[in-house]
Amino acid sequence: MSGVAPERLPIDDAGAAFLSQALKLDGFFPEFLGEHATKLYPHSGLFIVANDFHIIEQGDAGRDLFILYSGHVEIRKSLGNASTTLATLGPGDLLGEIALLRDGVRGATAVAMGRVLVFMLAFVDLHYILTNNAELAEHLKAMARGRLGIK
């Protein structure tokens, strides 16, 4: 995330349930509470970001995954001096999941449209889980392939 540091919030049981639903973790974790989210994702967290905050910046390196908890984010792509809006995403939508399929720079910028709550899942947390749970790894990769239109 770039810009002024967003405020980090604790992940409560409602936030953990939302995270579980967004990542479709119910088959892996029948009961996923705030304390589980904190233990499973120690480098990650729930953040408040301000209007116009750039959650992901086109051209930056990064493999963290973001899940919108509330609010909306505009996905923008720049080509030279021109910029276009590719999509507007809302609660439950993922950002940055393409990094699970390939390394490299971010392909677009994600900008908060008003006050936004977003889960940032640090790659260091994801990497451990993806390395040690092949079924969950394939599930998350399938979500990323769906966004790219790849089967």
Side-chain angles (χ1 to χ4, degrees):
M1 291 190 277
S2 65
V4 175
E7 179 185 349
R8 186 178 184 146
L9 302 173
I11 300 174
D12 60 13
D13 291 347
F18 180 85
L19 185 60
S20 178
Q21 181 181 7
L23 291 174
K24 301 179 182 6
L25 297 177
D26 54 329
F28 305 102
F29 305 102
E31 182 179 56
F32 193 69
L33 303 173
E35 66 184 87
H36 300 131
T38 301
K39 289 177 183 173
L40 190 62
Y41 304 116
H43 301 95
S44 303
L46 176 63
F47 294 89
I48 298 173
V49 298
N51 185 44
D52 288 328
F53 183 83
H54 289 203
I55 298 167
I56 293 174
E57 187 73 46
Q58 182 177 337
D60 284 355
R63 297 187 67 196
D64 297 334
L65 181 69
F66 300 88
I67 304 165
L68 293 175
Y69 187 61
S70 69
H72 291 86
V73 170
E74 198 170 82
I75 305 301
R76 301 175 185 164
K77 180 142 182 115
S78 296
L79 299 168
N81 291 333
S83 179
T84 187
T85 298
L86 301 175
T88 300
L89 305 179
D93 286 330
L94 296 169
L95 308 166
E97 75 281 3
I98 294 170
L100 294 175
L101 289 180
R102 56 184 168 182
D103 293 331
V105 297
R106 300 287 191 180
T109 298
V111 181
M113 305 306 295
R115 181 178 177 268
V116 171
L117 290 176
V118 62
F119 285 103
M120 186 274 298
L121 296 177
F123 182 71
V124 66
D125 293 340
L126 284 172
H127 181 68
Y128 175 80
I129 294 164
L130 297 175
T131 301
N132 293 290
N133 187 330
E135 191 174 357
L136 180 56
E138 185 51 41
H139 169 72
L140 291 176
K141 288 177 183 178
M143 291 174 74
R145 286 192 299 268
R147 176 72 59 105
L148 288 171
I150 300 170
K151 297 224 177 199

